[in-house]
Amino acid sequence: GGITAEEAKKSSHLNIVGMVGSIDNDFCGTDMTIGTDSALHRIMEIVDAITTTAQSHQRTFVLEVMGRHCGYLALITALACGADWVFIPESPPEDDWEDHLCRRLTE
């Protein structure tokens, strides 16, 4: 399972770089991890597809995006599509969020 000293010496001229492949964009020291941009692009395609349906049927849609414990995709999607409401793990909703949401939907 490991690299021996001899193997390391033979390959000492190699420079190895690790790249994070994650849609969560939660890796310190990077602007955007590999996979984040393509995930956001796909999410926006879906938003565009359901927006027409929502408008024609005068309905509200709830969209859940991937992201595990990181709300980056949810936040950026909300900004990009002009969402009225967004839930992200980094900023949990207040206790009376249900009442506030219902008031907004009624308006």
Side-chain angles (χ1 to χ4, degrees):
I3 298 172
T4 66
E6 184 180 325
E7 290 171 328
K9 189 174 179 179
K10 279 193 232 178
S11 301
S12 64
H13 63 285
L14 296 175
N15 293 317
I16 299 172
V17 176
M19 304 207 43
V20 179
S22 168
I23 63 159
D24 294 330
N25 202 33
D26 59 354
F27 189 75
C28 182
T30 63
D31 290 334
M32 189 176 288
T33 56
I34 297 170
T36 303
D37 187 57
S38 57
L40 181 58
H41 180 76
R42 184 69 180 128
I43 292 167
M44 290 310 300
E45 286 178 346
I46 299 303
V47 168
D48 289 343
I50 64 172
T51 297
T52 306
T53 304
Q55 290 171 344
S56 68
H57 293 281
Q58 297 181 342
R59 299 284 186 237
T60 298
F61 279 72
V62 176
L63 179 68
E64 181 179 3
V65 298
M66 301 170 283
R68 202 174 20 165
H69 303 294
C70 178
Y72 179 82
L73 282 175
L75 181 60
I76 298 303
T77 300
L79 290 171
C81 72
D84 293 313
W85 205 273
V86 63
F87 292 103
I88 57 172
E90 294 88 348
S91 181
E94 297 174 5
D95 289 338
D96 65 340
W97 70 268
E98 297 96 338
D99 295 332
H100 187 114
L101 179 61
C102 287
R103 278 195 308 275
R104 291 289 303 272
L105 289 172
T106 302
E107 291 170 4

